[in-house]
Structures are given as structure tokens and as C-alpha cells.
Amino acid sequence: MAFRFHVSAFALLLVAGTVQAAGLVFEDPWIRAAPPGADVLAGYATLHNVGDTSLTITGGRSADFERVELHEMKMEAGVMKMREVKGIDVAANGKTELKPGGFHIMLVGLADGLKEGAKFPLKLKFEKAGEVTVQVTAEKPDAHGHGEHKH
């Protein structure tokens, strides 16, 4: 499932699983399904910028979580470290992967578990393109070949 955005349009258009608004395509936005009691989850997707201007995600919000943060995991001196970042860039005519072990969207304060197959809206804020709503799907832990990943 892909989500498409064009810079000039802030109204969202839903046609055959494609949302259009800002020059950006969200390919397969997902999180791992969470049992009751799990209150921190990470969101992933592949972002394709089909426009001639770089785009930066600067934050987000969701009614299903208390807060949304942008994070990066990377290896430093043989130790995997995670840190919050101010933005995630998607180069003009380029792509950025939000994936386990790299950049991701941290969703904090889930009120109740998200079962496999559940969907929820996530509003992402862009530095120059306003806010865009993406539908995220909860999937089984190994659905994308990454196995369990704990935060």
C-alpha cells in the first residue's frame, strides 16, 4: 500500500489506497502489533520523495498515543544507541527508509494494545508542507523479516 503526497495540495484524496498531498509516497506504513500493557511502539515505512524539493518530517501526533517522536538508532563504538532527532530528511527525488535499526517514528503512551490488523491514523508534520495523515497498520512482529525489536 502506498501513500502519495503533493506539496501544493493540503486536502487529502483517498483513491484505491493512495493518499495524495506533498510530493511524498509512504510505502507500507506499519508498526508491530502490541499486547495490552505495551505503551511504546516504533513506526516504519519507506518514504519516496517524487518532488524537486527536499522534505523534512519534524514531528507528529496521534489520538491513539500521548506523543510522537522521531528517533534514530545507530552503531557507535560497537554499541547500538537510540536518540531523538529534530527531523528526518527525504532528499528531492530520493528515498528514506524508516526501519528497525535506523530512523523510525517513536509512538509513546499507547492507551491499549493494538492487535494485528488494527489501523490507526498518524498525522505527520512537515517543515514546508504542513501536516499529512497516514493510516498505519499493526502487523505481526516478524512480518517484515526483522523479528522482535524492543525499545
Side-chain angles (χ1 to χ4, degrees):
M1 179 181 278
F3 293 90
R4 298 183 185 272
F5 304 93
H6 296 289
V7 174
S8 61
F10 289 111
L12 298 180
L13 173 65
L14 183 59
V15 178
T18 300
V19 177
Q20 301 211 7
L24 196 59
V25 176
F26 274 75
E27 181 182 332
D28 194 24
W30 67 282
I31 62 166
R32 289 188 175 88
D39 67 346
V40 178
L41 299 169
Y44 310 105
T46 300
L47 289 69
H48 301 272
N49 184 346
V50 297
D52 294 331
T53 304
S54 66
L55 297 170
T56 302
I57 301 172
T58 58
R61 61 189 172 101
S62 171
D64 296 283
F65 294 87
E66 290 175 14
R67 68 182 189 275
V68 175
E69 301 173 353
L70 307 176
H71 283 215
E72 176 185 29
M73 290 187 73
K74 66 180 178 179
M75 193 66 74
E76 292 180 4
V79 176
M80 183 63 84
K81 294 187 178 184
M82 181 171 61
R83 66 182 177 95
E84 189 171 359
V85 295
K86 292 182 181 182
I88 299 174
D89 297 324
V90 185
N93 298 303
K95 80 175 185 177
T96 297
E97 290 187 66
L98 305 182
K99 62 183 181 179
F103 286 111
H104 57 278
I105 297 169
M106 185 65 70
L107 303 155
V108 181
L110 174 64
D112 195 9
L114 283 173
K115 294 180 181 176
E116 185 179 329
K119 295 179 185 287
F120 68 93
L122 173 63
K123 293 182 185 259
L124 294 175
K125 296 177 190 174
F126 289 85
E127 185 174 74
K128 298 175 186 172
E131 194 171 77
V132 175
T133 301
V134 177
Q135 288 294 319
V136 180
T137 302
E139 299 184 4
K140 62 184 179 180
D142 61 352
H144 292 263
H146 298 289
E148 286 290 335
H149 184 74
K150 306 224 186 272
H151 287 282

